[in-house]
Amino acid sequence: MTEAAPERSLDAGEPPVEHRSRLRTTYETIRQNRLAVIGAFFLLVLAVVAVFADLIAPYTINEVNIADRLAAPSLDYLFGTDDLGRDVFSRVIIASRVSLQVGFISVGLAVAIGVPIGLVAGYYGKLTDSILMRAMDVLFSFPAILLAIAILAALGSGITNAMIAIGIVYTPIFARITRGSVLSVKESVFVRAARSLGASDARIIRTHILPNVLAPIIVQTSLSLAFAILAEAALSFLGLGVQPPAPAWGRMLNDAQGFLGSAPWMAIFPGLAILLTVMAFNFLGDGLRDALDPQQRSVIESRGVSK
Amino acid sequence: MTGFVIRRIGQMAIALFGVSIVVFALIHFVPGDPVRIALGTRFDPEIYEALRERAGLNDPILIQYGNWLLAAIQGDLGVSFRSGQPVTGIVLQRLPATMTLAGAALVIALAVSLPLGILSAIRSGSKLDYLATTASQVGVSVPDFWAGIMYILVFSLTLSWLPPSGYTQLSNDPLGWLSHLVLPAFTVGLISGSILFRFVRSAVLEALNQDYVRTARAKGLSQMRVIRDHVLPNAWIPIVTVVGLQLGFLLGGVVVVELIFAWPGLGRLALLAVEDRDFTVLQGTVLYIAFIFLLINLIVDIIYGWLDPRIRYD
Amino acid sequence: MNAPAPQQATDRVLTVEDLRVSFGTRSGVANVVNGISYHVDRGETLAIVGESGSGKSVSTLALLQLLPTPPARVEGSATFGGGNLLTMSDRDIRRVRGNQIAMIFQDPMTSLNPVRTVGTQLIEPIELHLGLRGKPARERAIELLETVGIPSPGQRIDDYPHQFSGGMRQRVMIAMGISCEPDLLIADEATTALDVTTQAQIIEEMQHLQQRLGMGLIWITHDLGVVAGIADRVVVLYGGRMMEVASVDDLYRQRRHPYTRGLLESLPTPGPERPERLHAIPGLPPDPTRMPPGCPFEPRCEHAVDRCAEDRPEYRSPVPGHQVACHFEPEELYD
């Protein structure tokens, strides 16, 4: 072969892309993605709202005002009132806290359990891999929402159990993604070189494999957050998740069913809140994927929750 | 190909085994005594003992599992704590309704996602592509129970075009059957279609970018022929997989929609069982759904293997 | 307008003039091909040599309008059969593709459709351009497989690409390419993915076919070793421009352009006197979104002066048929 060997003595071409500038290019790519930016912005606003909910909400969650029950949206009651005269707007705002909380903790759980499983399975391969992945397959055999319901039926309702249930349901996907990434990196040249130099397994995993596995995990986290919030809403709709008096978007929807004709705003706004939040996470996740890991297969997308 | 099929059946058997353990374990994770909880206020010591005996709860755990598994293989899933009826019968009675709903939803999903997905991929970057992709992003994010409620609001309450809930037998009243099916099927179908759309689009897009498409064009084939003879035959393969997965999810995932539309299917059965603390019914339902899901996955995998000559002729 | 008539009157098959190809990218306009001109005659083999990114593949894809036109922009002319390939209508260029001009590509595994039999893919151009159907089409396909040296063609025609070895797959590609007896065959790195022995076999067979059919052949490669064995004339590309055009003999004996020199000198030479290190051209190829106004090779050229960066060099012709794009006469640079 007669290709000239590149040297870095002369000024032609870009300097090699370093770690720091990769972060920058990711940031730049996302910034150009309008939808992702909108999503991120919305989430930021939502986070602020959730944290300062008590201050922002004009009424408290159980401020009953029978005289004003089933009132249409107005300046006094931005989203109208429900059958007990409670301000829907305040309840929606305060319920955001629950949704975000359950979402983050359950996904955090899924990551904390799933990623190590995937790392071990991918790295050590053979029997360990088979056993672990079969176990994940078993969890994959149940439609997500059904599994969550079954777990909650056994453990009982409540916010903690809901987080556990959703966490368990999303563990396999993180395990699978992590394992996939590990497999593709494991046989790469620099890992083999490190191993030939005598680096320990743990060290190899930490310094070589983990950074490359990070990208799909980050993408999946955002997407899973979207679905976790949907899941939480579905569970609280069914009365299985957060219990009263804490408000939850899903449960507000359930309560609204009986008043659909007389007070549709009871159903419209909480649902809209769920929709916008989930969309925001999805936009952000899609943007992250395009920036970090465009080849990630969308088999992941085919796994919905209440679908 | 035969080796492939045998391996997949083996995998399914193992997964089914694992599933059975999980389902079996469910009843044992319940804090407290499941039968007592199920009976609740209707507690009667004789019935209590009889139910415990029937459910094998007095035996040591491994024997319980063994007996339960053997019975399950023969189709006996125990009796309901509430009604005393055999679980298998209850489940089978509800199965057709769920399959109808899942089937109708899938038809709608395919009708929407296939043409739009293919067109969007071919005209990637066009206005159509942009609109369809954005619409699908919304569709994927919509909570199905909320969508269902909104449809009821618009089409039943406001416009009075369609009934808000319920179910009539096809044999009794075909038109009524259809009118009851429309809203729930669209609720699930449009969301499922959004998920499928994204996948169809990316599968076709990926096939379009392959080298063999360039070769086909270099031979002078028209765009239509390239798509028909080279792109689609390759894109079908991953699409079939996802469609199968979706069907599987639909069967168990329509739980909440069945509740809203009072659709007498498996999902609603499961929910009622949870309310009633009727664990055997819940177990039976979950087991059936998981089994059907695994079965569908197996069939899909075999079809996939058959479609891809690299696997078929090996 | 009908498809262009096959060349009978003159020997010249293709004339390319001032071909330019640019792409719109996120980081600006990438000028990949910046004005190349060459010609190919009947029965002649032209080698286009360059590094990756020199624009060699893109320039030939442009000839058959195989580049997606947004984001690509193609200018210049490519005269074939009385018409301009670059401005032909879609219908007309499709009649040329695979028929009068055929192209074969580098990686036969990905260049063949994995889910269709080899026979189906081979028969496609035969049906399309020669109008044969059914049995006669199949028979012709089997004949072609035999011509390119595939054993038991009658059975193998119904096999899938993955059931062939790499060398066999490339032969299938060649069979597809010559199926309609084209006037011009373009081989884009056709043997790069193959081992050396298979390479040699394929090259030999290509030469036989070329003689038999009297086609023009454009051979794109980065491997100067291959060029010596197969080409009549050579075009050396760098940064989307031609650095040197010459007959093979002239090029190897009297390489004039500093880049050509660099390429030839970096070929490892067997023999008792081996230099201590491999000679390499320092630096990296230019960024097509930031093409300099002057000579593209200037940053890496050891003879460069200020003028080289600002003025684009004209072609000098030291010998008829031999062109060099450099400000200096070769005598000024080398003793």
Side-chain angles (χ1 to χ4, degrees):
Chain A
M1 286 235 302
T2 52
E3 279 186 48
E7 281 177 32
R8 275 185 290 223
S9 52
L10 297 181
D11 208 13
E14 302 272 5
V17 181
E18 297 158 7
H19 199 62
R20 193 174 358 125
S21 59
R22 184 160 175 234
L23 201 60
R24 277 214 85 212
T25 30
T26 311
Y27 177 66
E28 288 297 316
T29 318
I30 296 183
R31 218 156 57 105
Q32 289 171 355
N33 183 342
R34 243 183 328 164
L35 290 177
V37 170
I38 295 178
F41 186 66
F42 179 85
L43 289 173
L44 215 55
V45 169
L46 186 65
V48 168
V49 164
V51 168
F52 295 107
D54 296 319
L55 297 174
I56 302 177
Y59 302 84
T60 63
I61 52 173
N62 282 313
E63 199 164 316
V64 169
N65 205 335
I66 300 288
D68 284 335
R69 65 192 293 265
L70 301 178
S74 61
L75 279 176
D76 277 335
Y77 303 107
L78 283 172
F79 289 170
T81 61
D82 66 3
D83 55 319
L84 292 179
R86 297 179 290 194
D87 177 32
V88 174
F89 178 69
S90 305
R91 303 194 87 222
V92 166
I93 301 255
I94 294 181
S96 69
R97 206 182 269 165
V98 162
S99 289
L100 288 179
Q101 192 184 350
V102 173
F104 276 101
I105 296 184
S106 56
V107 171
L109 196 64
V111 168
I113 302 179
V115 169
I117 290 182
L119 279 176
V120 168
Y123 190 75
Y124 290 107
K126 305 219 183 74
L127 197 59
T128 324
D129 182 16
S130 288
I131 295 178
L132 285 174
M133 282 304 121
R134 291 301 141 248
M136 295 296 107
D137 279 347
V138 167
L139 284 179
F140 261 138
S141 308
F142 303 93
I145 189 90
L146 201 62
L147 183 60
I149 292 176
I151 295 176
L152 283 176
L155 295 178
S157 322
I159 188 170
T160 325
N161 290 340
M163 294 194 260
I164 295 177
I166 299 177
I168 293 179
V169 166
Y170 282 108
T171 302
I173 231 190
F174 280 98
R176 211 180 252 193
I177 292 191
T178 311
R179 172 185 178 268
S181 294
V182 171
L183 284 181
S184 62
V185 170
K186 191 168 73 155
E187 292 309 316
S188 67
V189 179
F190 52 91
V191 168
R192 275 190 279 169
R195 208 182 288 150
S196 72
L197 287 173
S200 74
D201 285 342
R203 192 184 160 78
I204 293 182
I205 291 181
R206 205 174 3 111
T207 51
H208 292 288
I209 299 189
L210 208 44
N212 283 288
V213 158
L214 228 41
I217 293 180
I218 292 177
V219 175
Q220 185 58 41
T221 303
S222 185
L223 297 175
S224 289
L225 276 168
F227 287 126
I229 297 208
L230 269 178
E232 186 281 320
L235 290 176
S236 56
F237 179 82
L238 296 171
L240 292 174
V242 173
Q243 298 298 305
W249 289 335
R251 228 202 13 255
M252 290 171 71
L253 269 180
N254 192 8
D255 297 336
Q257 281 184 99
F259 303 94
L260 206 49
S262 41
W265 49 85
M266 280 175 72
I268 296 178
F269 291 106
L272 217 50
I274 304 174
L275 171 62
L276 291 176
T277 309
V278 173
M279 265 196 340
F281 274 116
N282 270 329
F283 285 167
L284 188 59
D286 282 346
L288 281 169
R289 186 204 297 130
D290 287 341
L292 287 175
D293 191 13
Q295 289 151 337
Q296 200 173 27
R297 297 251 69 215
S298 23
V299 179
I300 300 153
E301 293 174 346
S302 73
R303 182 178 171 81
V305 175
S306 4
K307 326 281 176 246
Chain B
M1 181 76 184
T2 359
F4 177 74
V5 174
I6 293 179
R7 251 177 301 133
R8 283 300 290 115
I9 295 183
Q11 278 176 345
M12 177 182 164
I14 297 180
L16 206 49
F17 182 62
V19 163
S20 71
I21 295 182
V22 170
V23 172
F24 174 75
L26 267 176
I27 205 174
H28 291 276
F29 265 110
V30 178
D33 185 331
V35 183
R36 191 180 286 271
I37 295 174
L39 289 178
T41 49
R42 304 177 317 152
F43 184 78
D44 175 301
E46 268 181 36
I47 302 185
Y48 173 72
E49 271 313 313
L51 282 175
R52 273 196 75 92
E53 231 359 89
R54 181 68 175 80
L57 288 170
N58 291 329
D59 303 323
I61 210 160
L62 275 175
I63 304 210
Q64 271 189 49
Y65 176 63
N67 288 337
W68 179 80
L69 192 59
L70 255 113
I73 294 178
Q74 291 163 14
D76 174 12
L77 290 170
V79 299
S80 155
F81 285 165
R82 275 280 142 164
S83 64
Q85 297 295 314
V87 170
T88 314
I90 301 176
V91 168
L92 285 177
Q93 197 187 29
R94 304 283 203 138
L95 190 57
T98 297
M99 298 195 93
T100 313
L101 181 55
L106 192 64
V107 165
I108 295 174
L110 287 174
V112 164
S113 62
L114 283 179
L116 275 179
I118 295 176
L119 274 174
S120 291
I122 296 174
R123 304 209 194 158
S124 160
S126 67
K127 228 174 186 191
L128 168 72
D129 182 20
Y130 187 68
L131 282 173
T133 307
T134 315
S136 77
Q137 280 172 316
V138 176
V140 163
S141 314
V142 171
D144 52 359
F145 44 99
W146 184 65
I149 293 177
M150 291 294 108
Y151 291 160
I152 293 178
L153 180 61
V154 173
F155 293 104
S156 297
L157 297 182
T158 314
L159 294 173
S160 298
W161 285 353
L162 294 162
S165 61
Y167 177 83
T168 50
Q169 292 274 40
L170 176 58
S171 36
N172 288 351
D173 176 16
L175 214 55
W177 174 81
L178 192 62
S179 69
H180 279 113
L181 183 57
V182 169
L183 282 185
F186 266 94
T187 304
V188 182
L190 288 180
I191 296 176
S192 182
S194 300
I195 297 176
L196 281 178
F197 164 85
R198 281 145 76 90
F199 201 78
V200 169
R201 180 181 177 277
S202 92
V204 174
L205 211 50
E206 174 147 343
L208 272 172
N209 284 328
Q210 292 300 311
D211 286 345
Y212 52 79
V213 168
R214 183 180 56 179
T215 307
R217 289 212 184 107
K219 289 195 287 195
L221 298 178
S222 67
Q223 179 75 334
M224 276 268 272
R225 262 195 85 162
V226 170
I227 292 174
R228 191 195 69 187
D229 293 338
H230 292 274
V231 173
L232 291 181
N234 276 280
W236 281 142
I237 299 177
I239 290 177
V240 158
T241 314
V242 180
V243 170
L245 279 177
Q246 271 296 287
L247 183 57
F249 276 116
L250 285 178
L251 284 176
V254 291
V255 171
V256 191
V257 172
E258 283 187 5
L259 187 67
I260 296 179
F261 288 97
W263 192 262
L266 283 181
R268 191 141 166 265
L269 179 65
L271 286 173
L272 293 175
V274 170
E275 256 180 53
D276 291 342
R277 297 284 188 266
D278 200 339
F279 294 104
T280 41
V281 172
L282 183 60
Q283 271 182 323
T285 316
V286 174
L287 189 62
Y288 246 98
I289 293 179
F291 172 66
I292 296 178
F293 181 59
L294 283 173
L295 194 62
I296 292 180
N297 271 9
L298 179 68
I299 295 176
V300 163
D301 274 351
I302 293 181
I303 294 180
Y304 177 105
W306 191 81
L307 283 177
D308 186 343
R310 289 167 287 194
I311 300 180
R312 181 156 36 133
Y313 298 110
D314 230 357
Chain C
M1 197 196 127
N2 292 331
Q7 292 301 304
Q8 295 296 342
T10 69
D11 272 337
R12 187 137 300 180
V13 173
L14 173 73
T15 311
V16 174
E17 272 174 73
D18 200 32
L19 179 63
R20 291 164 189 275
V21 181
S22 54
F23 287 88
T25 68
R26 261 191 224 172
S27 22
V29 176
N31 296 302
V32 180
V33 180
N34 298 303
I36 63 179
S37 312
Y38 58 84
H39 60 86
V40 183
D41 293 333
R42 189 165 280 289
E44 149 177 78
T45 303
L46 177 75
I48 300 183
V49 176
E51 305 174 18
S52 2
S54 55
K56 51 193 200 300
S57 294
V58 170
S59 60
T60 50
L61 286 171
L63 293 179
L64 286 177
Q65 293 189 27
L66 285 174
L67 297 171
T69 27
R73 240 190 87 180
V74 179
E75 295 163 281
S77 79
T79 315
F80 176 83
N84 182 356
L85 291 172
L86 303 178
T87 55
M88 265 184 209
S89 72
D90 195 50
R91 283 190 75 188
D92 290 336
I93 194 83
R94 273 190 277 128
R95 290 214 201 109
V96 171
R97 289 180 192 156
N99 188 9
Q100 289 151 329
I101 302 182
M103 201 159 165
I104 60 184
F105 301 99
Q106 174 174 358
D107 188 348
M109 189 60 232
T110 59
S111 296
L112 288 174
N113 188 339
V115 305
R116 303 230 123 173
T117 61
V118 150
T120 320
Q121 299 184 57
L122 198 41
I123 290 176
E124 269 175 339
I126 296 175
E127 275 186 354
L128 187 62
H129 299 299
L130 302 179
L132 297 175
R133 308 242 156 226
K135 207 147 179 271
R138 191 183 158 87
E139 270 163 23
R140 179 158 171 85
I142 296 179
E143 244 176 65
L144 283 164
L145 287 178
E146 189 159 8
T147 312
V148 293
I150 293 188
S152 325
Q155 281 126 324
R156 304 231 67 190
I157 190 174
D158 292 321
D159 282 344
Y160 289 87
H162 71 275
Q163 291 169 298
F164 289 79
S165 72
M168 289 287 150
R169 284 197 285 264
Q170 195 59 294
R171 288 170 209 254
V172 169
M173 287 284 297
I174 296 173
M176 279 193 328
I178 61 170
S179 59
C180 303
E181 303 202 350
D183 297 315
L184 178 65
L185 181 66
I186 304 175
D188 188 351
E189 306 260 26
T191 54
T192 308
L194 304 171
D195 66 83
V196 184
T197 326
T198 319
Q199 254 190 39
Q201 282 174 342
I202 302 252
I203 289 175
E204 205 184 303
E205 274 161 31
M206 293 280 285
Q207 286 178 309
H208 284 173
L209 286 170
Q210 184 188 22
Q211 273 174 13
R212 254 182 54 178
L213 302 173
M215 348 175 260
L217 179 61
I218 296 182
W219 193 274
I220 302 174
T221 181
H222 59 263
D223 187 343
L224 278 172
V226 166
V227 167
I230 195 173
D232 297 315
R233 284 186 305 120
V234 183
V235 170
V236 179
L237 283 188
Y238 186 83
R241 295 201 197 137
M242 304 190 301
M243 297 288 105
E244 190 161 355
V245 184
S247 72
V248 156
D249 287 335
D250 267 351
L251 191 86
Y252 279 84
R253 260 189 274 132
Q254 306 187 36
R255 73 270 335 233
R256 303 214 164 145
H257 194 279
Y259 177 55
T260 318
R261 280 211 138 194
L263 282 181
L264 286 168
E265 272 157 28
S266 52
L267 270 173
T269 43
E273 279 183 44
R274 306 235 308 248
E276 280 159 16
R277 308 185 77 195
L278 275 185
H279 184 265
I281 308 176
L284 294 167
D287 179 354
T289 57
R290 294 194 276 175
M291 290 300 292
C295 174
F297 188 60
E298 180 267 335
R300 300 164 76 179
C301 182
E302 51 186 1
H303 304 287
V305 298
D306 288 337
R307 187 185 169 206
C308 296
E310 290 148 32
D311 282 339
R312 189 180 157 165
E314 295 295 318
Y315 291 113
R316 295 169 180 278
S317 236
V319 164
H322 192 145
Q323 291 173 308
V324 185
C326 185
H327 287 303
F328 299 100
E329 297 287 349
E331 295 79 49
E332 296 169 276
L333 298 176
Y334 315 115
D335 32 63

